Amino acid sequence: MTYLPPPAEELRFLDAELRRLDAHRAQLLARRAWLVSVLQSAAPGPATPPFGGPAPATAPRPEASAPRVQNVLLVLGGVLLTIAAMAFTLVSWGHLGIAGRAAVLGTVTAAALAAPVPLLRRGLRSTAESVAGLGLALTVLDAYALHEAALADTDGTAYAAMAATVLAGAWAAYGTALGALRLPRPAALAAAQLPLLLTALAADAGPHGISAALLVTATADAAAALLVTSPALRPVRIAAAIGAYGTGGWGLLGALWLSWTAPDPGTAARAAALLLPASAVALTAAWRIAGTARTAEPGRTGATSATSGTDAPAAAGTSSPALPSFSPQPLTTTLPTATALLGALVLLAALGGVLRVTLPGGWAVPAQLLGAVALLTALRISRMPEQVRHGVAWASAAVQGLALLWALPLVAVALFGPLGWADRPWSGGPADARDAVTVHAPWLSHSGPALAVLGLLAGALALLVRNATWRQRALAGAAVLAWAAALSVPAALELPYVVGLLLLGLLTVAALALPVLPPTGTVLALVTSVDLAFLALADRTATLTALSALTVLYAAASTRSRLAPVTAPAALAYATALACATGATAGWQAPHTALLVLVVPAVAVAVAPRFATTARVACEVTGAVAAVVAVGLAVADAPMLALVLSSLGVLAGATATRPDRRAAGYAAAALFALAAWVRLAAWEVTAPEAYTLPVTVPALLVGAWRRRRDPLTGSWPAYGPGLAVTLLPSLAALWRDEGWPRPLLLGSAALLITLLGARHRLRAPLVLGGAVLVLTALHELAPYLVQFADALPRWVPPALAGLLLLALGATYERRLRDVRRVRDVLGRMS
């Protein structure tokens, strides 16, 4: 059995447990405060304070570490000493004799170069680096002093080239002798950037020679960056990489400019002779970087052993910190790809420079594109690293994109040129297909090369892209490019006008049957058919033939369910255009043509239920647009407009017989009422009530009977049509009536309807009666309001408007509350 202590004993137990928990919580909070202080403090605190003791006080966090302060002081000292030496050499040099000059510079330079030896023995490595930097700067001043004192008659540029060569060799030897110093060897590499460039300038080698000097120097830098693999020489490798990209970049810019501006094949070949080796160096470097990065990946034997050898001194606990090993991990992402991209672009640029001055008439672009495609083809059979392949592929894609941009103007003229016939229909057929598309735009001179570019791009996408993810998209892109080329062929070849129309028709059929990505083919077919329709506007027979063929084609294509959402409304649209063209050909007036256009909404009503939801809605919307066109054509003839409206009412009523389109009954009632009003206006009836009241009374009785059978029926479907049949025509007649009986009778009837709607809480009578009552009152008060406005001073209306706005702003919240109340009251009405 479970033991239950007395209440007093259990209470003492609970109090003791709570005190223990409070004490433990205090200890945890103290520990947490200490941990936060340790994380926020830069100075190390005690290893482990007493668990329950208070957190130790923390000192202010320093803003700079001690090594950083040391390096700043040493660099500043070296810079100041270098500036002092320069000032002495340039300003105070003339006060000493030749022996004094040599003694001073020789002694200071030798001391500065020898000082790092004892400093390194004492472990003052940073100080040794600073003094060595001063010594290297003094050697430059020595070279300058030597030229000014003994070799002043020699050419300055040639002497600078020789001095840079000597200094580079001397610094390299000095850095090799004192291997612990990091500065001399990168400095020697930096000095080595100048000899070839200065030699070319001294020899007046011209732009080609200067570019060659820069590219040769960059090649040597690249070789150094790739061949130097020792972790201890990482600064040399970094300096070599910077020199390769910097010097090589300037050399490439010069060579590319020479290739672009070459006036003859010989000059272009000389520029290509500079670019091709640079391209080979870039591709080789990318290949080597990618291979080095791959072999250095974690888990490979060579990388593991190299890393272990590098980290051994640090693990042994030597006094001097080990040099950080060169980690090639960042090279596995962007550097090989970017370098390969640069190399491939330079290769294609060299080819393009030669082709530009060799091939006439714009054919250099398709030739260069062929080279880019061939480069992409070579990737499929090569064994390049993946990063290099990506870079070369991006270079080929860039050239292909530029070629496509160059060819797009031809497609734009062929696509948008036929739109110019919209303002000159049936003005006579053009001489050929080129004249047909250049109504408002000039023709391009490079149409043949542009067509070749489109064909090559389409073939490359279709044949070379094999990746499963991109295959369908590539085929769709190839189809678009092939379509653009086929669209431009008739104008480019100056085919006869009729042949151009036939080719566009065949292209429309082929695009509809395209098996690759059906949405793409459907859209291309639709665009081509629109182009064909506008192009056919030049000739009457061509217009009727093209519109008839397009209507039949899209109607037949609508039997395929996947195409119906686009082809069915397109067939109705072309049928509408065909009806208008047929009426114009027969010489009918626009109102009579409207009767022919009504066939399209009738067909839409008949065929829409046969389609799925999307195609059904598209057909109904297109039919509604055709109905609006018919109304617009008939608006100038009132009797014909009434006939069109009543016909549309019949179609809307037929649509309302479908269970999912019951709401079309409202449109049918509105169309019938509008047709009746237009007919009354056409008959010049001055008392429409004689015709509308016989309809209103039965309509209201039917509405009351419907509400009695179905109490849930609203007032709008029950009483709205009956009331509108009389109130709205009477209101329209009121504004043309100057007598008093109609306003009195209409206002009284509207007041009675409004009161009945308020009494029985019916929305339709309340809204219709109130609106008609207000408009009738405004009609009666309008003359007096005009007279009153003429009698007022000009400043009164703005002042009244301002007061009104102030009053409305002051009572805005109360007005909103009243509006909500009215809305709620109307919402509760039936």
Side-chain angles (χ1 to χ4, degrees):
M1 297 178 61
T2 303
Y3 169 73
L4 296 177
E9 182 180 353
E10 184 177 1
L11 181 60
R12 285 193 302 271
F13 174 79
L14 292 178
D15 291 339
E17 188 69 15
L18 289 174
R19 285 192 298 270
R20 189 183 66 80
L21 291 176
D22 290 339
H24 187 61
R25 183 174 184 272
Q27 292 176 357
L28 292 178
L29 288 175
R31 178 69 177 179
R32 180 184 183 278
W34 177 81
L35 292 174
V36 171
S37 66
V38 169
L39 292 176
Q40 293 179 349
S41 175
T48 305
F51 185 80
T58 58
R61 182 179 181 183
E63 296 182 355
S65 61
R68 182 172 299 178
V69 174
Q70 166 194 300
N71 293 334
V72 170
L73 294 177
L74 291 175
V75 169
L76 288 176
V79 170
L80 290 176
L81 288 175
T82 303
I83 293 175
M86 292 175 61
F88 168 77
T89 303
L90 298 176
V91 177
S92 300
W93 181 258
H95 300 292
L96 301 175
I98 296 178
R101 302 170 190 173
V104 170
L105 280 178
T107 302
V108 174
T109 303
L113 293 176
V117 177
L119 291 175
L120 289 175
R121 291 175 181 174
R122 295 177 178 270
L124 301 177
R125 179 175 178 176
S126 298
T127 305
E129 293 280 2
S130 299
V131 176
L134 175 62
L136 298 181
L138 288 175
T139 57
V140 178
L141 294 178
D142 289 339
Y144 170 76
L146 178 63
H147 179 268
E148 292 296 323
L151 301 174
D153 297 333
T154 61
D155 181 66
T157 306
Y159 177 79
M162 181 184 64
T165 304
V166 173
L167 289 176
W171 292 354
Y174 180 72
T176 303
L178 299 180
L181 294 178
R182 298 184 181 182
L183 181 61
R185 282 175 287 196
L189 191 62
Q193 308 300 309
L194 300 176
L196 289 180
L197 175 61
L198 294 176
T199 302
L201 292 175
D204 196 13
H208 288 82
I210 295 174
S211 298
L214 291 172
L215 291 175
V216 170
T217 303
T219 302
D221 292 335
L226 294 174
L227 297 178
V228 174
T229 58
S230 174
L233 298 179
R234 184 187 179 192
V236 177
R237 187 173 188 178
I238 294 176
I242 295 174
Y245 283 104
T247 309
W250 285 109
L252 283 178
L253 287 177
L256 289 173
W257 177 255
L258 292 174
S259 177
W260 181 260
T261 58
D264 52 70
T267 308
R270 292 176 62 193
L274 296 175
L275 293 174
L276 291 177
S279 171
V281 170
L283 291 174
T284 303
W287 198 317
R288 179 67 180 268
I289 294 172
T292 304
R294 186 173 65 252
T295 56
E297 289 178 358
R300 295 183 180 268
T301 305
T304 304
S305 60
T307 305
S308 302
T310 304
D311 295 339
T318 56
S319 58
S320 61
L323 291 175
S325 62
F326 178 73
S327 175
Q329 289 293 23
L331 303 178
T332 61
T333 55
T334 58
L335 188 57
T337 301
T339 307
L341 171 64
L342 177 63
L345 286 177
V346 170
L347 174 63
L348 294 174
L351 176 64
V354 175
L355 293 175
R356 183 182 59 84
V357 295
T358 304
L359 299 178
W363 285 99
V365 177
Q368 190 170 6
L369 175 61
L370 191 60
V373 174
L375 188 63
L376 195 62
T377 306
L379 292 179
R380 301 182 61 85
I381 59 176
S382 66
R383 304 181 63 179
M384 296 181 182
E386 193 66 22
Q387 297 90 342
V388 180
R389 295 169 63 89
H390 287 168
V392 176
W394 277 112
S396 177
V399 173
Q400 294 179 45
L402 292 175
L404 177 61
L405 290 177
W406 181 80
L408 281 182
L410 173 68
V411 183
V413 172
L415 183 61
F416 299 106
L419 301 180
W421 292 102
D423 60 350
R424 54 176 70 182
W426 298 352
S427 57
D432 51 46
R434 180 174 297 183
D435 290 341
V437 300
T438 55
V439 180
H440 296 301
W443 185 248
L444 303 177
S445 59
H446 56 272
S447 57
L451 282 177
V453 166
L454 295 174
L456 286 175
L457 288 175
L461 283 177
L463 298 177
L464 298 182
V465 179
R466 297 294 183 182
N467 185 275
T469 304
W470 292 93
R471 179 61 177 169
Q472 290 298 320
R473 299 176 187 176
L475 290 178
V480 173
L481 292 171
W483 166 82
L487 188 70
S488 308
V489 163
L493 300 181
E494 295 185 85
L495 299 178
Y497 172 66
V498 177
V499 175
L501 293 179
L502 291 175
L503 289 180
L504 287 182
L506 294 176
L507 183 59
T508 303
V509 176
L512 278 177
L514 190 66
V516 179
L517 289 181
T520 303
T522 306
V523 172
L524 294 180
L526 186 61
V527 173
T528 310
S529 64
V530 172
D531 211 42
L532 173 60
F534 276 97
L535 196 64
L537 285 177
D539 183 72
R540 180 177 312 196
T541 304
T543 300
L544 295 176
T545 304
L547 292 177
S548 301
L550 291 175
T551 302
V552 174
L553 173 64
Y554 277 101
S558 300
T559 57
R560 303 169 67 179
S561 58
R562 66 180 180 85
L563 301 178
V566 175
T567 57
L572 295 175
Y574 285 125
T576 304
L578 178 61
C580 295
T582 302
T585 302
W588 293 355
Q589 297 295 327
H592 295 84
T593 304
L595 296 177
L596 190 58
V597 176
L598 283 177
V599 177
V600 178
V603 173
V605 170
V607 302
R610 303 175 182 271
F611 295 114
T613 303
T614 305
R616 183 188 313 151
V617 173
C619 286
E620 291 171 348
V621 171
T622 309
V625 173
V628 173
V629 172
V631 171
L633 292 173
V635 73
D637 190 341
M640 192 62 65
L641 178 60
L643 179 58
V644 170
L645 291 173
S646 59
S647 301
L648 293 176
V650 172
L651 296 177
T655 303
T657 59
R658 291 160 46 193
D660 58 335
R661 292 292 185 267
R662 297 299 188 193
Y666 300 113
L671 289 170
F672 281 129
L674 188 59
W677 299 339
V678 172
R679 174 55 64 182
L680 293 177
W683 285 341
E684 298 182 357
V685 174
T686 58
E689 294 81 2
Y691 300 91
T692 58
L693 281 175
V695 178
T696 296
V697 174
L700 293 177
L701 293 176
V702 171
W705 174 75
R706 182 179 177 183
R707 279 182 59 83
R708 181 180 296 274
R709 292 193 57 186
D710 185 7
L712 297 179
T713 303
S715 61
W716 280 109
Y719 303 120
L723 294 175
V725 166
T726 295
L727 291 178
L728 297 183
S730 298
L731 184 63
L734 174 67
W735 291 90
R736 297 179 299 176
D737 191 356
E738 298 179 356
W740 60 270
R742 175 176 279 113
L744 178 60
L745 294 175
L746 182 59
S748 301
L751 177 60
L752 177 60
I753 293 172
T754 304
L755 294 177
L756 289 175
R759 171 67 180 79
H760 297 284
R761 302 177 66 183
L762 298 175
R763 189 181 301 175
L766 183 62
V767 174
L768 286 175
V772 173
L773 180 60
V774 171
L775 293 175
T776 303
L778 288 177
H779 175 266
E780 293 303 307
L781 295 176
Y784 302 101
L785 293 177
V786 173
Q787 294 176 6
F788 181 70
D790 291 338
L792 287 177
R794 294 295 179 90
W795 57 269
V796 173
L800 292 177
L803 292 175
L804 177 61
L805 291 177
L806 288 176
L808 288 176
T811 59
Y812 186 72
E813 184 176 1
R814 181 164 56 88
R815 300 302 182 191
L816 285 177
R817 186 174 62 251
D818 295 341
V819 169
R820 294 190 186 98
R821 289 177 179 175
V822 173
R823 184 190 62 187
D824 294 339
V825 171
L826 291 176
R828 289 192 295 268
M829 293 181 181
S830 59

